[in-house]
């Protein structure tokens, strides 16, 4: 069953704006990862945050993790048209190491 | 990052035929490979986990006789959809992981259309 739930389901913004999406999950996790998927393609790993970390940065990406609320957020700053894609969070529950559970995804459209 | 390839990238077949999809890790040895299925505008659903040299572990609700998985080497896993039917039409994605399996590297996916 899918554990992560992303919100919003869809997001439409203009180039230069920031995009924020959230992910909630239900069980204890080892880590949480964010992936990007362009239409009809495979997934590209963006960033991993471990359960003992609260915030992580990678280029224009900022990820936060709040294990008490069982939620994470992904912020893309200064978005570009090339950021148009679906973004998924994947959790790795502590009781099923290696088995990713994906959320439903947030579809982001960045218009020039 | 690590590169995972899938072949073919798309396949159209007649109902009743079997289709084999290959997943290869090109620059690392994958101790574990995963097979996912994705319907349009939906998330990925894990179908099975395969470890090199052992039988695959299937998720609940996935028919092991329908979706045959072989992980014969550390760089190759195959998924065979046997006696495919239109409801098997989907996007199949594999991923590969090494040892700790902390990160999975995904293939580009295979789109299957069964007529």
């Amino acid at each position: 069953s899918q554990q992560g739930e992303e919100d919003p389901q869809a997001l439409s913004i203009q180039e230069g704006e920031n995009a924020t999406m959230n992910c909630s999950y239900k069980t204890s996790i080892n880590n949480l990862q964010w992936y990007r998927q362009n239409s009809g393609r495979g997934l590209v790993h963006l960033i991993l945050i471990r359960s003992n970390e609260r915030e992580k940065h990678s280029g224009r990406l900022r990820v936060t993790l709040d294990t008490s609320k069982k939620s994470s957020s992904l912020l893309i700053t200064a978005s570009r048209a090339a950021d148009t894609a679906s973004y998924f969070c994947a959790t790795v529950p502590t009781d099923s190491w290696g088995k990713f559970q994906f959320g439903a995804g947030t579809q982001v459209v960045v218009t020039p | 990052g690590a590169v995972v390839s899938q072949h073919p990238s798309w396949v159209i077949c007649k109902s009743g035929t079997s289709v084999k999809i290959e997943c290869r890790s090109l620059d690392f040895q994958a101790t574990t490979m995963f097979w996912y299925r994705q319907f349009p505008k939906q998330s990925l659903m894990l179908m099975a986990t395969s470890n090199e040299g052992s039988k695959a572990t299937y998720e609940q609700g996935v028919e092991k006789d329908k979706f045959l998985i072989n992980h014969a080497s550390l760089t190759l896993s195959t998924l065979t959809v046997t006696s495919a039917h239109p409801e098997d039409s989907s996007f199949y994605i594999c991923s590969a992981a090494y040892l700790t399996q902390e990160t999975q590297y995904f293939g580009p996916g295979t789109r299957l259309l069964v007529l």
Side-chain angles (χ1 to χ4, degrees):
Chain A
S1 61
Q2 297 297 322
Q3 169 164 242
E5 305 243 345
E6 275 99 336
D7 139 62
Q9 290 187 339
L11 186 59
S12 185
I13 56 175
Q14 292 198 316
E15 267 192 328
E17 293 180 337
N18 295 343
T20 301
M21 58 210 88
N22 304 295
C23 168
S24 60
Y25 57 92
K26 297 188 174 97
T27 64
S28 297
I29 60 172
N30 289 303
N31 64 66
L32 185 146
Q33 306 185 36
W34 285 91
Y35 286 82
R36 184 186 75 223
Q37 184 182 36
N38 289 86
S39 182
R41 301 290 189 92
L43 274 69
V44 174
H45 183 258
L46 295 176
I47 198 164
L48 178 155
I49 187 164
R50 294 188 175 84
S51 59
N52 61 352
E53 297 176 309
R54 292 296 165 258
E55 187 171 313
K56 209 160 182 181
H57 296 255
S58 177
R60 293 183 297 112
L61 305 179
R62 173 177 168 258
V63 169
T64 63
L65 179 64
D66 187 335
T67 52
S68 65
K69 294 181 180 177
K70 292 187 168 55
S71 68
S72 172
S73 69
L74 170 66
L75 167 68
I76 305 173
T77 61
S79 62
R80 306 167 182 167
D83 295 327
T84 295
S86 291
Y87 292 81
F88 294 92
C89 69
T91 54
V92 182
T94 52
D95 62 352
S96 58
W97 184 259
K99 280 194 178 183
F100 280 20
Q101 294 192 349
F102 282 90
T106 294
Q107 197 168 1
V108 176
V109 174
V110 183
T111 52
Chain B
V3 180
V4 176
S5 70
Q6 271 184 251
H7 177 80
S9 55
W10 60 271
V11 58
I12 301 173
C13 69
K14 291 182 179 178
S15 187
T17 60
S18 293
V19 174
K20 180 185 281 189
I21 302 169
E22 291 186 350
C23 176
R24 292 181 186 271
S25 57
L26 299 183
D27 52 1
F28 72 105
Q29 293 186 323
T31 50
T32 306
M33 286 186 171
F34 303 85
W35 286 94
Y36 296 84
R37 184 173 180 175
Q38 185 180 32
F39 290 104
K41 296 193 185 301
Q42 292 190 26
S43 188
L44 281 73
M45 290 185 60
L46 179 64
M47 297 174 66
T49 304
S50 76
N51 293 296
E52 184 262 340
S54 60
K55 287 185 179 179
T57 303
Y58 291 81
E59 294 299 299
Q60 196 172 7
V62 178
E63 300 174 59
K64 59 179 71 174
D65 295 329
K66 174 78 171 173
F67 300 99
L68 301 179
I69 291 170
N70 182 276
H71 192 163
S73 76
L74 285 171
T75 59
L76 173 64
S77 176
T78 60
L79 167 69
T80 301
V81 183
T82 62
S83 186
H85 291 285
E87 58 266 28
D88 299 324
S89 298
S90 190
F91 192 54
Y92 292 89
I93 304 178
C94 72
S95 70
Y98 176 71
L99 288 181
T100 64
Q101 303 172 17
E102 193 168 63
T103 298
Q104 294 180 22
Y105 299 96
F106 285 81
T110 297
R111 189 163 301 283
L112 171 63
L113 177 61
V114 185
L115 302 176

